[in-house]
Amino acid sequence: MIQHGVSLGIGTSHGPLLNLPPAEWEVRAEFDRAQTDLALRDGTFSFAELYAHRGGPHFAAKATLDERTQRHAACQRQLDVLGERLDDINPDALIIVGDDQHEWFMENTQPSFAVFCGDEMHNLAPTAEEREEKIRRGRGSDMYAYRPKIDQVYPVVRDLALRIHAQALEDEFDVAACMEQPKNPDGSLRTVGHAVGFIYRRLLRDRPVPVVPILVNTFYPPNQPTPKRCYDFGRSIGRAIHAWDSAARVAVIASGGISHFVVDEEWDHKMLKAFRNGDIATLTSEPNIMFRSGTSETKNWIVAAGILEATSLKMELLDYVPCYRTDAGTGSGMAFATWS
Ligand SMILES: [Fe+2]
């Protein structure tokens, strides 16, 4: 049966621990131990300060190789399920909400919200130099979670992207229009960012389903939109989809989150419960300072929740898996959900 509008929503973490064998998580642990600005709620800590703040070594038992292996496997099971759900509804269009981490947008211009309106997007295979650099940083294993082995082209639903812009203007959002894929100073294309690339590589297995990329600056000061603004922008996107005169089956995907690179299970449960209950008040009143570092990507889920508000789809949490890689509780809170 052809359904008008949104047929499926997905929320998925996309962090590096999903793409590194558990024995290689140590590489990221070393990275954590060198940090001086680990963000947890409204505090900022060095690794030693974080270890003391969180009351010592009890996270070590959750970060053993055995635990890592079990938790990694639990995540892979849910990523497979999400891929199957996408196969089942066979969408004609994807709305992917993700953050740009200096992949398309750099320090010179960083839009709070951007909608890509080109005809197609190119996800490029890593160059030999990029491969070497990744391997040098100990992250060779996760390279192909985001980037293809052979260049890929993804068609863009330009008509819907332009409608999202038009609706945003109606709704008093001034959203950046990205009319062509950004280029590097040498004229080469900037490849698709990790938040979008992960969905194509891991969930779609490179199936070139047409897409509208919605890019949110969750990470970088000074212009990260507030949770309320994210939710309201999502509502506006939802109105644009609803008014689109098309029989297309649309899937909405939030890419990223939940808490990282300091795992905060209590906060993750609070937010996931709010998503499940459609608790807009909780989602939109959370202070902006709670959304820092990778945790900020939870705002991608808030945009998606706003898009899905006017549908009859209900959120189901498939699994929440806190993945720890150090005894100070650094790692990623991984969540996998559908709205169906
Ligand atoms: Fe990310």
Side-chain angles (χ1 to χ4, degrees):
M1 190 183 78
I2 293 175
Q3 289 183 14
H4 292 255
V6 181
S7 308
L8 178 69
I10 281 179
T12 180
S13 298
H14 64 212
L17 297 187
L18 294 173
N19 318 312
L20 288 171
E24 293 180 30
W25 290 11
E26 193 50 35
V27 176
R28 298 291 298 174
E30 276 170 37
F31 173 84
D32 293 343
R33 290 188 192 101
Q35 297 307 301
T36 55
D37 59 351
L38 291 160
L40 174 64
R41 304 198 172 190
D42 59 355
T44 303
F45 305 89
S46 69
F47 186 83
E49 288 165 347
L50 183 71
Y51 181 86
H53 177 75
R54 306 198 91 188
H58 62 283
F59 289 104
K62 300 179 177 183
T64 61
L65 183 57
D66 187 47
E67 282 291 331
R68 292 179 191 189
T69 303
Q70 288 183 36
R71 292 172 193 227
H72 184 260
C75 293
Q76 301 309 315
R77 279 196 293 278
Q78 298 310 329
L79 289 168
D80 290 341
V81 169
L82 294 179
E84 285 161 16
R85 297 279 169 92
L86 276 170
D87 287 351
D88 289 345
I89 70 144
N90 190 24
D92 304 299
L94 300 176
I95 307 272
I96 300 181
V97 185
D99 49 310
D100 188 86
Q101 284 179 242
H102 291 164
E103 293 157 319
W104 278 12
F105 306 124
M106 304 296 166
E107 287 287 300
N108 55 0
T109 307
Q110 176 69 65
S112 293
F113 296 116
V115 179
F116 182 61
C117 304
D119 291 318
E120 59 190 24
M121 247 180 0
H122 296 252
N123 197 6
L124 305 175
T127 63
E129 295 77 39
E130 286 170 326
R131 270 199 297 273
E132 268 170 36
E133 168 65 11
K134 270 270 194 181
I135 290 164
R136 193 183 61 74
R137 287 164 51 214
R139 288 188 57 185
S141 303
D142 79 345
M143 178 170 359
Y144 292 115
Y146 308 102
R147 304 276 295 272
K149 291 185 175 167
I150 302 167
D151 293 355
Q152 302 289 320
V153 181
Y154 311 138
V156 173
V157 195
R158 192 159 189 269
D159 176 35
L160 180 55
L162 292 171
R163 283 164 186 275
I164 289 170
H165 270 288
Q167 184 66 51
L169 288 170
E170 276 300 303
D171 295 335
E172 302 186 351
F173 285 89
D174 304 307
V175 175
C178 188
M179 304 305 283
E180 59 180 45
Q181 189 160 344
K183 291 178 177 161
N184 295 307
D186 67 3
S188 61
L189 282 179
R190 288 184 181 154
T191 192
V192 166
H194 76 297
V196 173
F198 181 80
I199 302 303
Y200 276 98
R201 293 292 290 138
R202 184 63 181 84
L203 300 192
L204 293 166
R205 307 274 183 205
D206 286 333
R207 252 184 319 132
V209 181
V211 64
V212 179
I214 310 286
L215 299 174
V216 182
N217 174 30
T218 69
F219 252 80
Y220 304 110
N223 65 334
Q224 306 103 308
T226 62
K228 180 172 188 311
R229 195 72 176 149
C230 290
Y231 193 84
D232 289 343
F233 180 48
R235 277 179 167 151
S236 173
I237 297 169
R239 282 192 280 273
I241 298 169
H242 188 70
W244 189 34
D245 184 19
S246 166
R249 288 180 305 274
V250 179
V252 174
I253 305 180
S255 180
I258 300 293
S259 63
H260 61 295
F261 291 99
V262 180
V263 180
D264 186 345
E265 290 191 40
E266 188 186 336
W267 190 79
D268 288 345
H269 284 300
K270 173 183 167 181
M271 297 307 285
L272 291 167
K273 183 177 169 200
F275 284 117
R276 208 166 42 230
N277 293 342
D279 178 357
I280 303 164
T282 296
L283 294 176
T284 58
S285 64
E286 198 64 11
N288 227 5
I289 194 153
M290 301 296 279
F291 299 84
R292 288 185 297 152
S293 186
T295 305
S296 71
E297 293 178 337
T298 308
K299 286 179 178 173
N300 298 331
W301 290 53
I302 294 179
V303 174
I307 298 174
L308 295 162
E309 183 195 76
T311 71
S312 58
L313 305 181
K314 290 279 169 271
M315 194 264 221
E316 178 194 358
L317 181 64
L318 302 180
D319 206 354
Y320 168 71
V321 188
C323 291
Y324 291 96
R325 60 194 185 209
T326 69
D327 52 7
T330 61
S332 284
M334 305 291 190
F336 310 95
T338 58
W339 282 257
S340 57

